[in-house]
PDB file of all heavy atoms in Angstrom:
ATOM      1  N   ARG A  12       4.584  18.640   5.515  1.00 97.00           N
ATOM      2  CA  ARG A  12       5.947  19.120   5.802  1.00 97.00           C
ATOM      3  C   ARG A  12       5.830  20.365   6.687  1.00 97.00           C
ATOM      4  O   ARG A  12       5.380  21.419   6.243  1.00 97.00           O
ATOM      5  CB  ARG A  12       6.697  19.415   4.502  1.00 97.00           C
ATOM      6  CG  ARG A  12       6.966  18.150   3.693  1.00 97.00           C
ATOM      7  CD  ARG A  12       7.730  18.453   2.420  1.00 97.00           C
ATOM      8  NE  ARG A  12       9.039  19.067   2.664  1.00 97.00           N
ATOM      9  CZ  ARG A  12      10.147  18.394   2.982  1.00 97.00           C
ATOM     10  NH1 ARG A  12      10.099  17.058   3.114  1.00 97.00           N
ATOM     11  NH2 ARG A  12      11.289  19.024   3.167  1.00 97.00           N
ATOM     12  N   ALA A  13       6.220  20.194   7.939  1.00 98.00           N
ATOM     13  CA  ALA A  13       6.025  21.241   8.942  1.00 98.00           C
ATOM     14  C   ALA A  13       7.335  21.959   9.254  1.00 98.00           C
ATOM     15  O   ALA A  13       8.412  21.370   9.198  1.00 98.00           O
ATOM     16  CB  ALA A  13       5.456  20.640  10.223  1.00 98.00           C
ATOM     17  N   ALA A  14       7.192  23.230   9.613  1.00 98.00           N
ATOM     18  CA  ALA A  14       8.305  24.017  10.132  1.00 98.00           C
ATOM     19  C   ALA A  14       7.933  24.505  11.525  1.00 98.00           C
ATOM     20  O   ALA A  14       6.817  24.989  11.739  1.00 98.00           O
ATOM     21  CB  ALA A  14       8.606  25.206   9.219  1.00 98.00           C
ATOM     22  N   VAL A  15       8.852  24.367  12.475  1.00 98.00           N
ATOM     23  CA  VAL A  15       8.678  24.903  13.823  1.00 98.00           C
ATOM     24  C   VAL A  15       9.546  26.145  13.926  1.00 98.00           C
ATOM     25  O   VAL A  15      10.768  26.079  13.743  1.00 98.00           O
ATOM     26  CB  VAL A  15       9.066  23.876  14.902  1.00 98.00           C
ATOM     27  CG1 VAL A  15       8.942  24.480  16.288  1.00 98.00           C
ATOM     28  CG2 VAL A  15       8.185  22.628  14.788  1.00 98.00           C
ATOM     29  N   VAL A  16       8.907  27.282  14.206  1.00 98.00           N
ATOM     30  CA  VAL A  16       9.605  28.562  14.260  1.00 98.00           C
ATOM     31  C   VAL A  16       9.683  29.019  15.711  1.00 98.00           C
ATOM     32  O   VAL A  16       8.652  29.247  16.358  1.00 98.00           O
ATOM     33  CB  VAL A  16       8.873  29.628  13.417  1.00 98.00           C
ATOM     34  CG1 VAL A  16       9.713  30.893  13.327  1.00 98.00           C
ATOM     35  CG2 VAL A  16       8.563  29.087  12.034  1.00 98.00           C
ATOM     36  N   GLY A  17      10.892  29.137  16.238  1.00 98.00           N
ATOM     37  CA  GLY A  17      11.099  29.403  17.652  1.00 98.00           C
ATOM     38  C   GLY A  17      11.278  28.067  18.357  1.00 98.00           C
ATOM     39  O   GLY A  17      10.348  27.256  18.402  1.00 98.00           O
ATOM     40  N   THR A  18      12.476  27.806  18.884  1.00 97.00           N
ATOM     41  CA  THR A  18      12.775  26.471  19.417  1.00 97.00           C
ATOM     42  C   THR A  18      13.172  26.534  20.894  1.00 97.00           C
ATOM     43  O   THR A  18      14.113  25.873  21.329  1.00 97.00           O
ATOM     44  CB  THR A  18      13.886  25.797  18.592  1.00 97.00           C
ATOM     45  OG1 THR A  18      15.030  26.666  18.520  1.00 97.00           O
ATOM     46  CG2 THR A  18      13.414  25.473  17.190  1.00 97.00           C
ATOM     47  N   GLY A  19      12.426  27.319  21.677  1.00 95.00           N
ATOM     48  CA  GLY A  19      12.645  27.371  23.117  1.00 95.00           C
ATOM     49  C   GLY A  19      11.926  26.243  23.831  1.00 95.00           C
ATOM     50  O   GLY A  19      11.570  25.215  23.247  1.00 95.00           O
ATOM     51  N   HIS A  20      11.678  26.453  25.125  1.00 93.00           N
ATOM     52  CA  HIS A  20      11.146  25.406  25.988  1.00 93.00           C
ATOM     53  C   HIS A  20       9.784  24.898  25.515  1.00 93.00           C
ATOM     54  O   HIS A  20       9.554  23.688  25.410  1.00 93.00           O
ATOM     55  CB  HIS A  20      11.044  25.944  27.420  1.00 93.00           C
ATOM     56  CG  HIS A  20      10.787  24.897  28.453  1.00 93.00           C
ATOM     57  ND1 HIS A  20       9.535  24.362  28.673  1.00 93.00           N
ATOM     58  CD2 HIS A  20      11.615  24.274  29.325  1.00 93.00           C
ATOM     59  CE1 HIS A  20       9.602  23.461  29.634  1.00 93.00           C
ATOM     60  NE2 HIS A  20      10.849  23.384  30.046  1.00 93.00           N
ATOM     61  N   ARG A  21       8.854  25.796  25.242  1.00 92.00           N
ATOM     62  CA  ARG A  21       7.496  25.399  24.876  1.00 92.00           C
ATOM     63  C   ARG A  21       7.453  24.665  23.543  1.00 92.00           C
ATOM     64  O   ARG A  21       6.606  23.791  23.325  1.00 92.00           O
ATOM     65  CB  ARG A  21       6.587  26.631  24.840  1.00 92.00           C
ATOM     66  CG  ARG A  21       5.128  26.344  24.519  1.00 92.00           C
ATOM     67  CD  ARG A  21       4.472  25.485  25.566  1.00 92.00           C
ATOM     68  NE  ARG A  21       3.034  25.332  25.340  1.00 92.00           N
ATOM     69  CZ  ARG A  21       2.288  24.391  25.896  1.00 92.00           C
ATOM     70  NH1 ARG A  21       2.836  23.529  26.720  1.00 92.00           N
ATOM     71  NH2 ARG A  21       0.997  24.335  25.644  1.00 92.00           N
ATOM     72  N   ALA A  22       8.374  24.991  22.636  1.00 96.00           N
ATOM     73  CA  ALA A  22       8.365  24.370  21.315  1.00 96.00           C
ATOM     74  C   ALA A  22       8.614  22.874  21.365  1.00 96.00           C
ATOM     75  O   ALA A  22       8.253  22.156  20.418  1.00 96.00           O
ATOM     76  CB  ALA A  22       9.412  25.040  20.421  1.00 96.00           C
ATOM     77  N   GLN A  23       9.225  22.373  22.441  1.00 96.00           N
ATOM     78  CA  GLN A  23       9.472  20.937  22.559  1.00 96.00           C
ATOM     79  C   GLN A  23       8.185  20.130  22.378  1.00 96.00           C
ATOM     80  O   GLN A  23       8.187  19.074  21.755  1.00 96.00           O
ATOM     81  CB  GLN A  23      10.057  20.607  23.928  1.00 96.00           C
ATOM     82  CG  GLN A  23      11.410  21.194  24.226  1.00 96.00           C
ATOM     83  CD  GLN A  23      11.813  20.891  25.657  1.00 96.00           C
ATOM     84  OE1 GLN A  23      12.348  19.829  25.943  1.00 96.00           O
ATOM     85  NE2 GLN A  23      11.538  21.821  26.557  1.00 96.00           N
ATOM     86  N   MET A  24       7.092  20.624  22.969  1.00 96.00           N
ATOM     87  CA  MET A  24       5.828  19.906  22.884  1.00 96.00           C
ATOM     88  C   MET A  24       5.403  19.721  21.433  1.00 96.00           C
ATOM     89  O   MET A  24       4.951  18.639  21.024  1.00 96.00           O
ATOM     90  CB  MET A  24       4.740  20.657  23.661  1.00 96.00           C
ATOM     91  CG  MET A  24       3.389  19.975  23.620  1.00 96.00           C
ATOM     92  SD  MET A  24       2.062  20.963  24.334  1.00 96.00           S
ATOM     93  CE  MET A  24       1.817  22.196  23.038  1.00 96.00           C
ATOM     94  N   PHE A  25       5.547  20.761  20.618  1.00 97.00           N
ATOM     95  CA  PHE A  25       5.116  20.679  19.232  1.00 97.00           C
ATOM     96  C   PHE A  25       6.060  19.811  18.411  1.00 97.00           C
ATOM     97  O   PHE A  25       5.613  19.037  17.552  1.00 97.00           O
ATOM     98  CB  PHE A  25       5.007  22.080  18.639  1.00 97.00           C
ATOM     99  CG  PHE A  25       3.878  22.883  19.211  1.00 97.00           C
ATOM    100  CD1 PHE A  25       4.108  23.840  20.185  1.00 97.00           C
ATOM    101  CD2 PHE A  25       2.578  22.672  18.787  1.00 97.00           C
ATOM    102  CE1 PHE A  25       3.062  24.574  20.724  1.00 97.00           C
ATOM    103  CE2 PHE A  25       1.525  23.402  19.308  1.00 97.00           C
ATOM    104  CZ  PHE A  25       1.773  24.356  20.287  1.00 97.00           C
ATOM    105  N   THR A  26       7.356  19.921  18.652  1.00 98.00           N
ATOM    106  CA  THR A  26       8.302  19.080  17.922  1.00 98.00           C
ATOM    107  C   THR A  26       8.029  17.608  18.192  1.00 98.00           C
ATOM    108  O   THR A  26       7.969  16.788  17.264  1.00 98.00           O
ATOM    109  CB  THR A  26       9.750  19.432  18.327  1.00 98.00           C
ATOM    110  OG1 THR A  26      10.028  20.785  17.959  1.00 98.00           O
ATOM    111  CG2 THR A  26      10.751  18.527  17.631  1.00 98.00           C
ATOM    112  N   ARG A  27       7.836  17.254  19.456  1.00 97.00           N
ATOM    113  CA  ARG A  27       7.551  15.857  19.801  1.00 97.00           C
ATOM    114  C   ARG A  27       6.199  15.406  19.231  1.00 97.00           C
ATOM    115  O   ARG A  27       6.060  14.273  18.751  1.00 97.00           O
ATOM    116  CB  ARG A  27       7.552  15.690  21.325  1.00 97.00           C
ATOM    117  CG  ARG A  27       8.923  15.794  21.973  1.00 97.00           C
ATOM    118  CD  ARG A  27       8.861  15.354  23.426  1.00 97.00           C
ATOM    119  NE  ARG A  27      10.167  15.336  24.059  1.00 97.00           N
ATOM    120  CZ  ARG A  27      10.631  16.254  24.897  1.00 97.00           C
ATOM    121  NH1 ARG A  27       9.869  17.298  25.212  1.00 97.00           N
ATOM    122  NH2 ARG A  27      11.829  16.152  25.426  1.00 97.00           N
ATOM    123  N   ALA A  28       5.208  16.298  19.291  1.00 97.00           N
ATOM    124  CA  ALA A  28       3.879  15.934  18.807  1.00 97.00           C
ATOM    125  C   ALA A  28       3.885  15.662  17.308  1.00 97.00           C
ATOM    126  O   ALA A  28       3.279  14.686  16.838  1.00 97.00           O
ATOM    127  CB  ALA A  28       2.888  17.051  19.132  1.00 97.00           C
ATOM    128  N   LEU A  29       4.547  16.502  16.547  1.00 97.00           N
ATOM    129  CA  LEU A  29       4.606  16.299  15.104  1.00 97.00           C
ATOM    130  C   LEU A  29       5.415  15.048  14.767  1.00 97.00           C
ATOM    131  O   LEU A  29       5.046  14.277  13.865  1.00 97.00           O
ATOM    132  CB  LEU A  29       5.219  17.524  14.432  1.00 97.00           C
ATOM    133  CG  LEU A  29       4.352  18.795  14.479  1.00 97.00           C
ATOM    134  CD1 LEU A  29       5.180  20.012  14.111  1.00 97.00           C
ATOM    135  CD2 LEU A  29       3.152  18.669  13.552  1.00 97.00           C
ATOM    136  N   ALA A  30       6.502  14.821  15.504  1.00 97.00           N
ATOM    137  CA  ALA A  30       7.333  13.640  15.252  1.00 97.00           C
ATOM    138  C   ALA A  30       6.579  12.348  15.535  1.00 97.00           C
ATOM    139  O   ALA A  30       6.861  11.304  14.928  1.00 97.00           O
ATOM    140  CB  ALA A  30       8.597  13.705  16.100  1.00 97.00           C
ATOM    141  N   ALA A  31       5.622  12.394  16.452  1.00 96.00           N
ATOM    142  CA  ALA A  31       4.873  11.190  16.843  1.00 96.00           C
ATOM    143  C   ALA A  31       3.756  10.837  15.876  1.00 96.00           C
ATOM    144  O   ALA A  31       3.177   9.746  15.980  1.00 96.00           O
ATOM    145  CB  ALA A  31       4.299  11.379  18.247  1.00 96.00           C
ATOM    146  N   ARG A  32       3.434  11.737  14.952  1.00 94.00           N
ATOM    147  CA  ARG A  32       2.298  11.516  14.057  1.00 94.00           C
ATOM    148  C   ARG A  32       2.782  11.113  12.675  1.00 94.00           C
ATOM    149  O   ARG A  32       3.557  11.856  12.040  1.00 94.00           O
ATOM    150  CB  ARG A  32       1.426  12.782  14.014  1.00 94.00           C
ATOM    151  CG  ARG A  32       0.622  12.946  15.310  1.00 94.00           C
ATOM    152  CD  ARG A  32       0.087  14.328  15.546  1.00 94.00           C
ATOM    153  NE  ARG A  32      -0.882  14.303  16.643  1.00 94.00           N
ATOM    154  CZ  ARG A  32      -0.547  14.311  17.932  1.00 94.00           C
ATOM    155  NH1 ARG A  32       0.727  14.358  18.280  1.00 94.00           N
ATOM    156  NH2 ARG A  32      -1.491  14.278  18.869  1.00 94.00           N
ATOM    157  N   PRO A  33       2.317   9.973  12.166  1.00 93.00           N
ATOM    158  CA  PRO A  33       2.870   9.431  10.925  1.00 93.00           C
ATOM    159  C   PRO A  33       2.617  10.281   9.682  1.00 93.00           C
ATOM    160  O   PRO A  33       3.317  10.111   8.682  1.00 93.00           O
ATOM    161  CB  PRO A  33       2.181   8.057  10.806  1.00 93.00           C
ATOM    162  CG  PRO A  33       0.936   8.156  11.637  1.00 93.00           C
ATOM    163  CD  PRO A  33       1.285   9.083  12.762  1.00 93.00           C
ATOM    164  N   ASP A  34       1.632  11.178   9.736  1.00 93.00           N
ATOM    165  CA  ASP A  34       1.355  11.990   8.550  1.00 93.00           C
ATOM    166  C   ASP A  34       1.956  13.393   8.646  1.00 93.00           C
ATOM    167  O   ASP A  34       1.605  14.285   7.874  1.00 93.00           O
ATOM    168  CB  ASP A  34      -0.154  12.078   8.296  1.00 93.00           C
ATOM    169  CG  ASP A  34      -0.935  12.582   9.499  1.00 93.00           C
ATOM    170  OD1 ASP A  34      -0.354  12.664  10.597  1.00 93.00           O
ATOM    171  OD2 ASP A  34      -2.131  12.891   9.339  1.00 93.00           O
ATOM    172  N   HIS A  35       2.860  13.608   9.601  1.00 96.00           N
ATOM    173  CA  HIS A  35       3.537  14.895   9.738  1.00 96.00           C
ATOM    174  C   HIS A  35       5.046  14.670   9.782  1.00 96.00           C
ATOM    175  O   HIS A  35       5.520  13.685  10.352  1.00 96.00           O
ATOM    176  CB  HIS A  35       3.106  15.620  11.017  1.00 96.00           C
ATOM    177  CG  HIS A  35       1.670  16.023  11.021  1.00 96.00           C
ATOM    178  ND1 HIS A  35       1.236  17.275  10.643  1.00 96.00           N
ATOM    179  CD2 HIS A  35       0.557  15.331  11.351  1.00 96.00           C
ATOM    180  CE1 HIS A  35      -0.077  17.345  10.742  1.00 96.00           C
ATOM    181  NE2 HIS A  35      -0.522  16.174  11.175  1.00 96.00           N
ATOM    182  N   LEU A  36       5.792  15.586   9.214  1.00 97.00           N
ATOM    183  CA  LEU A  36       7.246  15.545   9.231  1.00 97.00           C
ATOM    184  C   LEU A  36       7.778  16.926   9.589  1.00 97.00           C
ATOM    185  O   LEU A  36       7.396  17.920   8.952  1.00 97.00           O
ATOM    186  CB  LEU A  36       7.785  15.140   7.854  1.00 97.00           C
ATOM    187  CG  LEU A  36       9.309  15.247   7.671  1.00 97.00           C
ATOM    188  CD1 LEU A  36      10.004  14.146   8.468  1.00 97.00           C
ATOM    189  CD2 LEU A  36       9.677  15.155   6.186  1.00 97.00           C
ATOM    190  N   VAL A  37       8.594  17.017  10.624  1.00 98.00           N
ATOM    191  CA  VAL A  37       9.262  18.280  10.921  1.00 98.00           C
ATOM    192  C   VAL A  37      10.408  18.422   9.920  1.00 98.00           C
ATOM    193  O   VAL A  37      11.472  17.822  10.072  1.00 98.00           O
ATOM    194  CB  VAL A  37       9.786  18.329  12.372  1.00 98.00           C
ATOM    195  CG1 VAL A  37      10.477  19.672  12.630  1.00 98.00           C
ATOM    196  CG2 VAL A  37       8.642  18.132  13.358  1.00 98.00           C
ATOM    197  N   ALA A  38      10.152  19.203   8.884  1.00 98.00           N
ATOM    198  CA  ALA A  38      11.118  19.341   7.791  1.00 98.00           C
ATOM    199  C   ALA A  38      12.111  20.461   8.027  1.00 98.00           C
ATOM    200  O   ALA A  38      13.228  20.431   7.482  1.00 98.00           O
ATOM    201  CB  ALA A  38      10.375  19.578   6.474  1.00 98.00           C
ATOM    202  N   ALA A  39      11.722  21.476   8.838  1.00 98.00           N
ATOM    203  CA  ALA A  39      12.594  22.633   9.027  1.00 98.00           C
ATOM    204  C   ALA A  39      12.408  23.230  10.413  1.00 98.00           C
ATOM    205  O   ALA A  39      11.307  23.173  10.982  1.00 98.00           O
ATOM    206  CB  ALA A  39      12.309  23.694   7.951  1.00 98.00           C
TER     207      ALA A  39
END
Side-chain angles (χ1 to χ4, degrees):
R12 293 181 60 82
V15 177
V16 188
T18 54
H20 192 281
R21 182 63 174 163
Q23 296 175 85
M24 180 188 74
F25 291 101
T26 297
R27 289 191 175 103
L29 291 166
R32 286 162 168 81
D34 55 349
H35 295 265
L36 172 72
V37 180

